Amino acid sequence: MGQQQLLLIVLSVLIVGIAITLGITLFSANAIEQKRNEVINECALLASEAQLYYRRPVTLGGGGKSFIGWEIPQEYQTTVAGSFSISASVSSNEVIITGTGNEVVTAGDSIKVEMTVTPLSYQTTIIN
């Protein structure tokens, strides 16, 4: 009877250990996904700001059908979700916004998202 009880204790400790490890893994994956969604949402906000700049006439401080001259507002360059910058390849009909989250995914790589903004749409590319 002693060996059966010892075997049951070892088995139950093993099952509890596996359950705890699985729970930590799922929690970590959920936290990363949530942070990635925050970065994507902030990029979408910046994309709508860029499109607004594109549509606004030059006389009202806009681009007059061009993205050239648009800059990320100072208060959105670094937020709780991460930091945001414009790619060097800004053209009259396209701008690329890069969002880097402050959540580390794997091996020191942070969450990174690129959003390509055109006058009528924007497309998200997940890098990390």
Side-chain angles (χ1 to χ4, degrees), residues 3-72:
Q3 285 182 339
Q4 278 184 333
Q5 289 175 342
L6 186 59
L7 185 61
L8 287 174
I9 290 172
V10 169
L11 188 60
S12 62
V13 166
L14 208 66
I15 290 173
V16 168
I18 291 171
I20 289 172
T21 303
L22 184 62
I24 290 172
T25 303
L26 289 174
F27 180 79
S28 176
N30 188 25
I32 290 169
E33 188 65 29
Q34 177 132 4
K35 185 59 81 168
R36 184 174 289 126
N37 287 339
E38 285 180 34
V39 172
I40 290 171
N41 286 339
E42 296 218 8
C43 281
L45 171 76
L46 292 172
S48 66
E49 290 284 329
Q51 289 174 335
L52 182 64
Y53 176 85
Y54 177 89
R55 290 185 184 104
R56 187 178 297 138
V58 176
T59 56
L60 297 176
K65 305 290 185 198
S66 175
F67 287 112
I68 295 174
W70 180 74
E71 296 178 356
I72 295 176

